[in-house]
Structure formats: C-alpha cells, structure tokens
Amino acid sequence: MKKVLLATALFSTAVFAQTPEDRVRQLEEQIRMLQQEVQKLKEEQKKAEETRKETEALKEEIRQLRLDIAMPQLEIKSYSGLGPAASKVHFNPRGVSIGGYGELVFRRNDVDARGRAKNIANMQRIILYLGYAFDEKLKFNSELELEHASTSKDHGTEGGYFKAELAYLDYQFRPEFGVRGGLLLMPVGIVNEIHEPPTFPSAERPFFERRIMLSTWEEMGLGVYGTVGPVDYRFYLINGLMLKGGGGYNALEPLKTVRQRGARAVADRLGYTGRVDIDLPLNVKIGGSFVYADVQSKGDSDSQLGLRRGSKVGSVTMLSPHLWWQYAGWDVRFVGALVKINDALKMSRDLFGNDIQNPSTGDNRDKIMPREQQGFYVQVAYDLFRLFGPENQELYVFGIYEDFDTHKKVPSGYLKPNGHKLRVYNVGISYKPHPLVAIKADYAKLDYSKPRKDENEYRLTLGFMF
C-alpha cells in the first residue's frame, strides 16, 4: 500500500510533464499495483477466516475432551456383574461419573392393576448413578432411586420412596482380586445386578426375579471379587435379615419382608452371599449363587413373641443356578432357585401372633411363612434386525416361561395360601432405536393355583439408560 501511495505522489508531480502515452502507461501500472494489493488483502482475509475456523474447532475439541473426562460415554459392558450404567465409574480413570436409567410403565391387568383399578400409568423408577474415581484403582459408586414419581402419599394412588440402592467403596488391587464394602447388590439371579431396562426384553422384570430372588435386593456388606481366567467371583459378608425389615408381609412374595436394605440394618446376626460365573465359548455364561443369613426379630411392638430386637427367629438359605447366552442376536436365559426357611413356624408366630393362619377353619390363610420355595424361568429372545432392518437398531421378539411356588412347603399342619403356585406365559417385543433406549410391549398370562383367579396383563414400557 505504501508503494501505491508513493507512486501516486510521483505521478501527481510529473503528470504535466508526461505525454498522453506515458500517462496511460502510468495509470495502467497504478491499476495493476492496486489489483495486487487487493489480492493480497483477500488472501490475508481468507487466511484469517481459516485461522478463526481452526481456532473454533480446537476450542470445541477441548470442550468435548473436558466433557468426556468429566462424564465419559457409556460403554455397553459390565464390571464384575454390574449393569452397563452402574459400571460407568469403573471404566473412568479419574473424576466424576454420572449415569442413570428410567422406566415408564403403562399396565392393564384385567383383575387388579392397583386397588381394583385395572389400568395404571406409572413412572416406575428414575435412577441416578453418581460415582467418583479417586484414581484408577479406588472408586466410589452409588445408585439413587426415586420410585413412583413421588414420596408423597397424597399423589396418585400413593407415591413411592427416594433411597440409596447402591453405595460402596471399591479397590481393585488387580483384575484377579478386589475388595468392596458398603450397600451392595446381592449377587443372585441375573436381573438383581443387571437391571437397567434396555438390558432385558420384557416390559417389566420377570416375576420370578421379583418374588423369589427379591429383586431389587441390597444389604450392607463387605467382600471380595475378581476374575481369574474364565471364572468371575464375588463373596460378601452381610448383615442378617429381619422380619418386617423390608416392610409388611405379602403372601405372593413372602420373603421380601426380611430384606433390610441398608436402613439402620440390625446386625446382631450375620449372613453370607456369593456367586461364581464361568465364561464358555460362544459367549455362554453358566454359574450359581447362594445366600445364607439368619433372620432376626424386629423386637418391641413388632415382635408378637415379645423378643428383643436382633434375636434369632430363623434362617434363610438360597441356592440358585443360572445360564446366560448372548450370541448372534440371541438372548437366552435360565435362572432357578431352591430356598429353604429354617424355623418358619417361629417366624410366623413372631410376625403374626394371634393372627397367624388357623388351619382348622382356614382363616387368615395367607398368614404363614413358607418352609421352602422353588422354581425357575426360561427366556428366549431373538433380534429380528439381524435378518433385516436398519443397522444400529434392534427388534427383539421374545418368550418367557416362569414356574415357581412361593410356598412349596409350609410348617406341618398348616395350609398353603391361595395362589401359592404361579405359571407365567410372557410374549412380546422390544424395539431399541438406540442401544441405550428400549420401547417394550408385551402380554403376560398369570396362571395361579386355584382358587386364586388367573390374570392377564398388557404392558408398555419406555426404558432408557445413560
């Protein structure tokens, strides 16, 4: 630009001394120089724009990197038996991890969906996983749960609760050996540990997993875990169980009353639980789990026998084999269980007192604890989109058969409650537009032992995890 100004000044002083031809050449040279300068300015402007775009791209990359460090993307894999969302913190080398899942359910039951209403729309649960990796070995993990949208008894047909379902410290010395302690999920069945809605095809968890395996079941405990070759193991020492520790008694799921779930759990008596899984070729997993725990009286006014809180009134032993095969679009599962309840009559008397079942008249027939439970379920599911349909989406069709008895045996001389034996025929579909989202619709036929009336359920669930 300085050259142009200088040329202009020289031109101005010499303009009258030049011939017309010289003046034309002078003007042409001036125009050429101006064009060169304009071109340089355009190139500089283009470079500045490119530099700005590169700077913005770099800023976005740094922002995304910071976000990924703070909240890493969910990988569809499990850490020592936990579900994908619950495992998130264990794959984060350092810092905060946030995950969660949700389950929104619409249910029609032709007999009784809730309080004799036949149709229920329910925010079943919203879960937040909050974890922190102090370093690559020491982790904290927690699961905070809100059930039924509210904790108020005045909302709808009564809200649920907000509670911790998982909260523990975990230190992995090496893959073969780690320790953890706190509020732990009992390592029984399949769904109790891996229960995010997109991980199973049915609209709700299998009845067997809920009524016999007591899902979701957690207790305070301390134990070890690890993976040695194809073998994965977990063994925990836990607090004992307690009558009315998990709320009131329900003959359809009688042992749920003995769960304490980490709420000032009475631990005068203790228990043990464990699990072993063996990974076989073609992604077949077989194994078994167990629970042995003493059952305590809640004492005071809750003890119909007038016992001290923490007094032993019985014990529970659970043995459960399982098989899980996920391969080439198939999801096949088998879970069985045999549950023995020692001193079920004493537990019944402490729980019910004078309201215990009268076997002569049949009054209060439901009010008796079982001596034995047993049963199983089988699931077969297949992803049709393996044969056709869009990539990165899944469409499972499935069938589940369940057969179990909540009161296979009762104390001698007593009657089994109505509907103690249940067969479930469950068919449906699960559409996953994204690996972390599932839209599920199914039908379940509940075939109870007589004289309890059979039920037909139609269910639609919107589920997700992150």
Side-chain angles (χ1 to χ4, degrees), residues 11-57:
F11 171 76
S12 299
T13 57
V15 64
F16 295 106
Q18 293 177 333
T19 64
E21 292 80 4
D22 291 337
R23 290 180 63 190
V24 169
R25 286 195 294 274
Q26 189 84 31
L27 287 170
E28 289 176 346
E29 179 65 18
Q30 184 178 6
I31 291 170
R32 185 185 64 80
M33 294 175 66
L34 286 170
Q35 289 175 337
Q36 290 178 349
E37 291 298 323
V38 169
Q39 185 62 31
K40 288 180 180 178
L41 288 173
K42 287 182 178 180
E43 291 176 355
E44 290 175 358
Q45 185 177 12
K46 182 179 179 181
K47 289 180 180 179
E49 180 64 20
E50 291 175 351
T51 300
R52 186 189 67 79
K53 290 181 179 180
E54 290 175 357
T55 301
E56 291 298 323

Side-chain angles (χ1 to χ4, degrees), residues 132 224 262:
Y132 188 82
V224 299

Side-chain angles (χ1 to χ4, degrees), residues 8 31 41 124 148 170 189 193 228 241 244 251 303 360 415:
T8 303
I31 291 170
L41 288 173
Q124 190 90 337
H148 310 306
D170 182 295
E193 290 184 301
V228 181
L241 306 177
K244 293 188 179 179
S303 171
S360 300
L415 306 173

Side-chain angles (χ1 to χ4, degrees), residues 245-463:
Y249 172 85
N250 183 343
L252 296 178
E253 42 192 20
L255 288 186
K256 278 195 172 180
T257 184
V258 303
R259 302 177 302 172
Q260 295 204 67
R261 312 190 76 181
R264 298 179 183 175
V266 176
D268 286 1
R269 312 294 296 192
L270 299 176
Y272 313 89
T273 183
R275 178 190 187 98
V276 173
D277 290 295
I278 302 174
D279 290 327
L280 301 176
L282 301 180
N283 204 34
V284 175
K285 185 188 295 290
I286 63 172
S289 58
F290 75 90
V291 177
Y292 172 81
D294 287 338
V295 178
Q296 306 162 101
S297 173
K298 196 168 185 177
D300 301 330
S301 61
D302 289 302
S303 171
Q304 300 304 311
L305 295 178
L307 300 176
R308 178 188 63 84
R309 177 170 291 179
S311 300
K312 181 178 176 179
V313 290
S315 64
V316 171
T317 303
M318 176 186 290
L319 300 174
S320 174
H322 58 265
L323 178 148
W324 193 1
W325 180 51
Q326 289 182 303
Y327 183 76
W330 292 97
D331 187 345
V332 178
R333 309 181 187 196
F334 166 83
V335 178
L338 173 64
V339 184
K340 297 279 191 177
I341 297 93
N342 183 50
D343 219 341
L345 184 55
K346 183 177 181 180
M347 292 170 59
S348 299
R349 287 171 173 164
D350 192 56
L351 186 61
F352 303 119
N354 294 330
D355 290 332
I356 193 172
Q357 179 197 113
N358 186 329
S360 300
T361 63
D363 292 342
N364 298 328
R365 185 163 181 158
D366 286 350
K367 294 185 177 182
I368 189 70
M369 291 291 287
R371 284 198 303 117
E372 182 179 305
Q373 300 179 317
Q374 69 177 41
F376 69 93
Y377 78 93
V378 176
Q379 169 194 298
V380 177
Y382 183 72
D383 176 18
L384 292 179
F385 282 174
R386 299 279 297 202
L387 304 176
F388 62 87
E391 295 183 1
N392 302 320
Q393 297 187 28
E394 298 171 356
L395 178 62
Y396 283 94
V397 292
F398 71 88
I400 300 174
Y401 174 70
E402 306 183 49
D403 189 334
F404 60 92
D405 194 331
T406 61
H407 291 75
K408 179 69 176 178
K409 295 180 182 179
V410 294
S412 179
Y414 286 82
L415 306 173
K416 296 179 180 181
N418 296 332
H420 62 91
K421 187 172 177 59
L422 174 62
R423 292 187 177 95
V424 179
Y425 306 89
N426 184 196
V427 294
I429 60 173
S430 175
Y431 169 56
K432 299 172 74 172
H434 185 280
L436 306 182
V437 176
I439 302 170
K440 303 186 281 188
D442 69 5
Y443 162 75
K445 170 74 172 180
L446 282 68
D447 183 5
Y448 286 101
S449 56
K450 305 306 177 188
R452 186 180 178 90
K453 188 175 181 180
D454 294 343
E455 300 175 12
N456 296 282
E457 279 201 354
Y458 305 86
R459 306 178 299 192
L460 172 65
T461 294
L462 309 178

Side-chain angles (χ1 to χ4, degrees), residues 89-194:
V89 68
H90 291 285
F91 299 110
N92 186 21
R94 190 180 296 274
V96 175
S97 292
I98 297 175
Y101 69 87
E103 202 169 16
L104 314 174
V105 178
F106 304 86
R107 182 192 310 115
R108 173 176 173 78
N109 185 298
D110 66 350
V111 176
D112 185 357
R114 181 171 174 80
R116 292 189 296 177
K118 295 185 177 182
N119 299 279
I120 291 293
N122 186 29
M123 193 211 80
Q124 190 90 337
R125 52 180 60 89
I126 291 291
I127 302 296
L128 177 67
Y129 289 114
L130 181 61
Y132 188 82
F134 299 94
D135 55 39
E136 292 187 353
K137 293 183 177 294
L138 181 60
K139 310 292 177 74
F140 167 75
N141 198 14
S142 67
E143 177 180 352
L144 305 176
E145 175 180 25
L146 174 63
E147 285 208 354
H148 310 306
S150 171
T151 59
S152 173
K153 294 183 178 182
D154 297 326
H155 294 166
T157 57
E158 188 175 325
Y161 55 77
F162 179 76
K163 71 177 291 292
E165 199 163 88
L166 187 72
Y168 63 86
L169 279 172
D170 182 295
Y171 191 88
Q172 185 190 56
F173 290 90
R174 53 185 181 273
E176 296 81 8
F177 182 74
V179 296
R180 59 173 57 136
L183 186 60
L184 305 174
L185 293 173
M186 297 296 93
V188 295
I190 293 177
V191 171
N192 196 60
E193 290 184 301
I194 303 178

